[in-house]
Amino acid sequence: MTDPAPIHPRARALLDGLNEAQHAAVTTTEGPVLVLAGAGTGKTRVLTTRLAYILLAGKAQPKNILAVTFTNKAAREMRERVAGMTGQSPEGWWLGTFHALGARMLRTHAERLGLERNFTILDTDDQLRLLKQLMQAEAVDEKKWPARAVMGAIQRWKDRGLTPDHVSDADAGDLAGGRGIDLYRQYQQRLLTLNACDFGDLLLHPLTLFRDNPNILETYQRKFQYILVDEYQDTNVAQYLLVRLLGQVNENVCCVGDDDQAIYSWRGAEVDNIVRFTDYYPNARVIRLEENYRSTDTILGAAGGLIANNEGRMGKTLFSAGGEGEVVRVRGVWDSDAEARFVGEEIEKLHADGHSLGEMAVLVRTGAQARTFEERFITIGLPYRVVGGPRFYERQEIRDALAYLRIIQSPDDDLAFERIVNVPKRGLGKKAMQTLHETARARGISLFRAAGELIKTQELRPQPRRAFASLLEQFRQWKELSQELDHVELTKRVLDESGYTEMWQQDKSAEAPGRLENLKELTNAMQDFESLAAFLEHVGLVMDASQDDGGEQVTVMTLHSAKGLEFDTVFLAGWEEGLFPNQRAMDEHGQKGLEEERRLAYVGLTRARKRAIISFCANRRMYGSWNAAIPSRFVDELPKGYVTVESEPGLYGGGSTNQPFGSDFWESGPSRATPGMLRAQQRTGQSARFVEGTVEVVETGGGSGFSRGDRVFHRKFGYGTVRAAEGERLSIAFDQSGEKKVMASFVVAADQAG
């Protein structure tokens, strides 16, 4: 496109070094534009250069451009870079997050919405406290309808741009016993009375302002001659509506994003906003950034073949500026411990060859998976850091659970007792806790013993006395049970009977499911120790050994946290059905959930610059017992030309060595199998094993081939005796490991073990 007016020399200089697609994305300034920016294609450079180009070309003043980012950090970096490129002061620029810009508009027009300009933005705790007051006044049973669940629904309505008057009865359903909409209305009215907004209001109120005040909307429409939106695939409905409204006059709307990296539907993001961009703007120009400056052609080929299985994509084909590179490796291992050993060994080999630990990352689907890697890295002295959250044993829910166990082990542990005495809530207020501390200090005894003294006297009101008495009785019972139950079963009882598990089950925040997974992983971790005392000692040693030394470290993080980052080497762990793709995501959202999981896999692969190594386990411990796992369908979907698959020696009971499956793994035939076939075989009563480097399918007729009393051998648990057989699932009393439930395909007759 040729500009009719002369272009400032500095504006022309900005275009030096851009490839053809980037050049078009920067200079196509008029009309709606969608920039489909593939992973590693220089999106940030295009964004900042486009903004600087518009300014230096004299097309608009800074105050006439609306530039929206998704984080304050991104906004700050863009402001600094554009200021450096243009030499113009960023003062007064309309550049920031949707919420920051919405708040700026509201400060100007607060009175139109019944607010004052100095309104307060409430944090989550204040929001919940306010909603709880309203629910109590309406006699809503909070055990049945937790305040977090009701607040979650209100915030989802706000993300969709719905005021109380626009929420339908069908939308509200039976929320809060049918009073969800009325509570929403009361909540909004109470916020106005307090001269306050919550985070969702910073999007909802501007929509209301523009709907009720067309003249104000028109002022902003004429003001913003150019609109630029980053990460458009992550916008929700309210954000989309704001962009549509503000861009209706000039239509110089440029949205930048990647539908293949839309992974935040749980935050309210709507991938359709980007997929249907050309429906909203029929005259839009779509520019695809496909030259990747991060990864090798092999990594891009594997990722591209995987994501091609999603339907409804806008489509693009990434190619690399960095050459072919190493093949993507897929490694089958016996269990999660073996997976952690494998990853640790590979990291040590790479480090010995001169590769920086800081350029390596382990990416997992759930935070609970990180625990085995953390413990392995500590064992071998490998420095690491956890990004996006604390280390496993430092997480709130793990510390709480450990505090309960510490008190069973040592009742005089004041720090542990103080941590959980009112978690979950037991109605112990500040006065009761003050009295508890004063009693302990005055008598020189622990808080636990002080509580025992206070329940015998009248210093406390009846309610806190009952709360202390009930808790102490629970600890007495758990102490007795610790002599009868193993420490894993004891922990499950404690978490259930204390109400701690239920507390997180009732919590409807986005973090709650992950916390529950972490608690299950805690019981998995305990399986490897002979007693509660041994486990608690281990945790103490781990915590002491895991201090940050400030040097270069391997990064451990979830796939969601990894978006936007890049590393030379990426380990993608736990590619098994049910874990990744995540079963809960598929159960709740069906095909949409599966496709978002696949996009998450694509994001993970494209974090790697030079090498990507995927691993899956044949066995994984879930909820305290070992279960057979099967490779993720995503392994099956990787195109064979870019991937090699290998397994541990004898993984499936055959006599093979570390034989790569290679491309043969994808060839159909009587002696070959794919991961998809392995999944189907386990469902239909077949099993698979490696024989002379190939996969042999074994018909079992829906049975295991083993009977009660048979002696068998399991690679991990050793020799044992079959106690019961239900189809492919066996209950086996192992000589050294106790009774376990395992899949028949992972044991052999004892006389064949040699």
Side-chain angles (χ1 to χ4, degrees):
M1 180 179 226
T2 303
D3 294 288
I7 299 177
H8 192 286
R10 287 183 68 182
R12 291 191 183 279
L14 292 173
L15 308 179
D16 293 342
L18 298 179
N19 64 39
E20 184 178 348
Q22 291 173 333
H23 187 283
V26 168
T27 58
T28 306
T29 57
E30 309 309 304
V33 177
L34 175 62
V35 180
L36 279 180
T41 56
K43 179 197 72 169
T44 302
R45 181 181 182 186
V46 166
L47 281 166
T48 54
T49 304
R50 179 183 174 90
L51 186 50
Y53 179 83
I54 291 171
L55 292 170
L56 288 178
K59 293 179 173 294
Q61 296 297 311
K63 64 181 181 181
N64 299 126
I65 302 173
L66 179 68
V68 187
T69 64
F70 259 76
T71 66
N72 290 316
K73 179 183 177 184
R76 184 171 60 253
E77 290 175 353
M78 183 180 291
R79 186 178 293 108
E80 290 171 356
R81 291 175 67 168
V82 174
M85 296 166 83
T86 62
Q88 299 182 14
S89 169
E91 190 70 28
W93 289 9
W94 284 80
L95 196 165
T97 65
F98 273 104
H99 292 90
L101 297 172
R104 184 173 171 181
M105 292 176 183
L106 293 182
R107 299 282 181 200
T108 305
H109 307 284
E111 70 283 351
R112 299 292 185 106
L113 294 156
L115 294 164
E116 297 177 19
R117 294 192 180 190
N118 63 342
F119 63 81
T120 302
I121 300 173
L122 299 187
D123 61 21
T124 303
D125 287 343
D126 287 337
Q127 294 168 31
L128 284 172
R129 188 159 60 251
L130 175 56
L131 183 60
K132 284 179 180 180
Q133 292 171 2
L134 298 173
M135 292 173 66
Q136 288 169 2
E138 291 294 316
V140 175
D141 183 357
E142 200 185 339
K143 287 189 176 179
K144 186 175 181 181
W145 300 104
R148 284 187 183 275
V150 180
M151 180 57 72
I154 289 173
Q155 295 303 330
R156 286 192 293 275
W157 290 332
K158 292 186 178 187
D159 286 345
R160 291 163 56 194
L162 299 175
T163 63
D165 293 336
H166 291 87
V167 177
S168 68
D169 291 338
D171 248 340
D174 192 38
L175 180 70
R179 284 167 285 184
I181 297 175
D182 187 50
L183 280 172
Y184 181 17
R185 184 176 287 107
Q186 290 186 45
Y187 173 73
Q188 290 301 95
Q189 186 56 53
R190 183 69 177 141
L191 285 174
L192 290 178
T193 302
L194 296 172
N195 190 37
C197 296
D198 66 18
F199 210 53
D201 288 330
L202 302 181
L203 300 177
L204 183 67
H205 281 339
L207 289 174
T208 303
L209 176 72
F210 295 151
R211 183 194 65 208
D212 296 343
N213 301 274
N215 58 321
I216 294 177
L217 172 60
E218 184 179 359
T219 299
Y220 281 105
Q221 287 173 332
R222 298 194 179 281
K223 175 183 180 64
F224 297 132
Q225 299 169 24
Y226 294 92
I227 296 176
L228 179 63
V229 184
D230 188 16
E231 302 287 9
Y232 191 60
Q233 78 279 351
D234 294 334
T235 53
N236 59 35
V237 173
Q239 290 162 340
Y240 152 73
L241 290 172
L242 283 170
V243 173
R244 279 296 305 273
L245 285 171
L246 293 171
Q248 277 179 343
V249 172
N250 292 306
E251 282 209 336
N252 294 329
V253 177
C254 177
C255 294
V256 183
D258 183 4
D259 57 319
D260 289 336
Q261 297 188 72
I263 59 173
Y264 294 122
S265 65
W266 49 278
R267 291 182 183 171
E270 291 282 349
V271 68
D272 278 353
N273 289 351
I274 190 168
V275 173
R276 298 181 61 188
F277 187 87
T278 53
D279 294 340
Y280 307 139
Y281 299 102
N283 61 329
R285 179 174 179 185
V286 179
I287 300 170
R288 288 172 168 80
L289 303 184
E290 297 176 307
E291 184 171 2
N292 178 283
Y293 296 92
R294 174 191 302 157
S295 306
T296 64
D297 266 329
T298 300
I299 291 170
L300 296 179
L306 174 65
I307 200 63
N309 290 278
N310 272 7
E311 299 176 1
R313 296 173 58 235
M314 300 197 72
K316 57 188 172 302
T317 303
L318 300 187
F319 61 94
S320 175
E324 184 176 347
E326 299 179 20
V327 69
V328 174
R329 293 170 59 195
V330 180
R331 174 82 171 189
V333 296
W334 187 256
D335 57 23
S336 56
D337 292 334
E339 184 177 48
R341 283 196 302 274
F342 164 70
V343 171
E345 289 167 1
E346 292 295 313
I347 290 173
E348 288 183 317
K349 289 177 188 175
L350 288 166
H351 192 222
D353 288 341
H355 298 280
S356 168
L357 294 179
E359 290 299 339
M360 301 184 212
V362 181
L363 306 185
V364 293
R365 175 59 182 85
T366 68
Q369 289 172 259
R371 197 268 311 170
T372 52
F373 294 102
E374 290 189 53
E375 297 212 4
R376 182 61 186 170
F377 294 167
I378 290 169
T379 299
I380 63 178
L382 191 67
Y384 74 95
R385 64 183 184 128
V386 176
V387 173
R391 297 169 188 257
F392 183 79
Y393 289 114
E394 294 171 352
R395 297 172 191 269
Q396 174 189 338
E397 62 278 10
I398 301 303
R399 283 185 177 273
D400 289 346
L402 291 174
Y404 275 102
L405 300 177
R406 283 163 52 190
I407 297 167
I408 294 172
Q409 188 74 13
S410 176
D412 294 330
D413 188 333
D414 278 0
L415 292 176
F417 188 75
E418 189 172 24
R419 183 179 183 92
I420 55 81
V421 66
N422 207 29
V423 179
K425 296 290 185 185
R426 297 186 172 92
L428 296 169
K430 289 182 179 179
K431 188 171 182 180
M433 292 305 298
Q434 182 179 352
T435 302
L436 177 69
H437 279 276
E438 289 173 350
T439 302
R441 284 195 301 271
R443 303 192 185 185
I445 57 178
S446 68
L447 295 178
F448 187 95
R449 298 180 191 280
E453 294 294 323
L454 286 172
I455 63 177
K456 303 172 186 176
T457 65
Q458 304 298 312
E459 278 100 341
L460 295 175
R461 290 183 294 107
Q463 197 282 328
R465 281 209 311 275
R466 286 193 297 269
F468 279 131
S470 175
L471 181 61
L472 296 184
E473 174 60 19
Q474 282 187 313
F475 274 112
R476 186 193 66 76
Q477 293 175 7
W478 294 331
K479 184 69 174 178
E480 288 183 0
L481 283 171
S482 70
Q483 307 304 313
E484 304 170 13
L485 299 178
D486 70 53
H487 52 293
V488 177
E489 289 304 315
L490 175 67
T491 300
K492 293 177 182 177
R493 288 280 291 268
V494 170
L495 293 176
D496 287 343
E497 293 176 4
S498 66
Y500 192 77
T501 299
E502 183 184 9
M503 180 185 80
W504 289 118
Q505 288 171 338
Q506 296 293 338
D507 190 311
K508 300 304 177 183
S509 67
E511 296 80 17
R515 295 189 191 279
L516 289 167
E517 290 295 328
N518 290 335
L519 291 172
K520 292 169 185 172
E521 181 60 26
L522 175 66
T523 60
N524 287 341
M526 300 176 76
Q527 298 269 357
D528 297 328
F529 299 87
E530 62 183 18
S531 67
L532 178 59
F535 174 69
L536 292 175
E537 180 178 334
H538 164 76
V539 172
L541 294 172
V542 165
M543 296 292 282
D544 182 63
S546 64
Q547 298 303 309
D548 184 357
D549 63 5
E552 66 173 38
Q553 301 166 305
V554 176
T555 297
V556 180
M557 66 199 312
T558 65
L559 288 158
H560 281 101
S561 298
K563 188 169 180 291
L565 303 177
E566 56 186 72
F567 304 88
D568 283 350
T569 303
V570 168
F571 294 89
L572 299 155
W575 281 40
E576 299 136 36
E577 279 296 296
L579 181 58
F580 191 44
N582 184 271
Q583 191 63 49
R584 186 174 65 245
M586 293 189 290
D587 289 345
E588 292 179 1
H589 304 291
Q591 184 66 19
K592 283 188 174 181
L594 172 60
E595 294 204 347
E596 181 156 326
E597 290 290 295
R598 191 177 283 114
R599 291 194 292 269
L600 197 53
Y602 173 84
V603 166
L605 276 167
T606 55
R607 298 311 93 196
R609 297 191 194 104
K610 298 179 179 178
R611 62 192 63 83
I613 302 172
I614 297 166
S615 56
F616 63 85
C617 299
N619 303 275
R620 189 169 289 275
R621 192 154 50 192
M622 302 292 288
Y623 316 127
S625 14
W626 286 97
N627 293 289
I630 46 182
S632 168
R633 69 191 72 195
F634 298 156
V635 173
D636 205 20
E637 293 170 357
L638 293 168
K640 64 181 183 180
Y642 303 98
V643 180
T644 184
V645 187
E646 58 198 45
S647 74
E648 283 189 324
L651 176 59
Y652 286 91
S656 66
T657 60
N658 190 12
Q659 171 79 33
F661 305 169
S663 60
D664 288 344
F665 193 68
W666 278 267
E667 294 178 11
S668 59
S671 64
R672 301 290 180 184
T674 68
M677 288 171 61
L678 291 176
R679 289 192 297 274
Q681 288 153 15
Q682 289 205 10
R683 286 194 298 269
T684 59
Q686 297 174 319
S687 63
R689 65 187 181 201
F690 286 103
V691 180
E692 297 179 355
T694 69
V695 181
E696 179 182 279
V697 179
V698 182
E699 294 291 344
T700 65
S704 67
F706 294 102
S707 304
R708 179 180 173 83
D710 286 351
R711 290 288 290 172
V712 295
F713 177 79
H714 187 285
R715 183 175 179 271
K716 181 175 181 69
F717 303 126
Y719 290 94
T721 302
V722 176
R723 295 297 189 207
E726 299 178 13
E728 269 285 288
R729 191 175 296 276
L730 304 177
S731 291
I732 301 173
F734 288 100
D735 298 349
Q736 302 296 325
S737 310
E739 190 157 333
K740 308 285 184 185
K741 293 186 184 298
V742 300
M743 296 297 292
S745 53
F746 297 110
V747 299
V748 296
D751 58 5
Q752 298 177 12

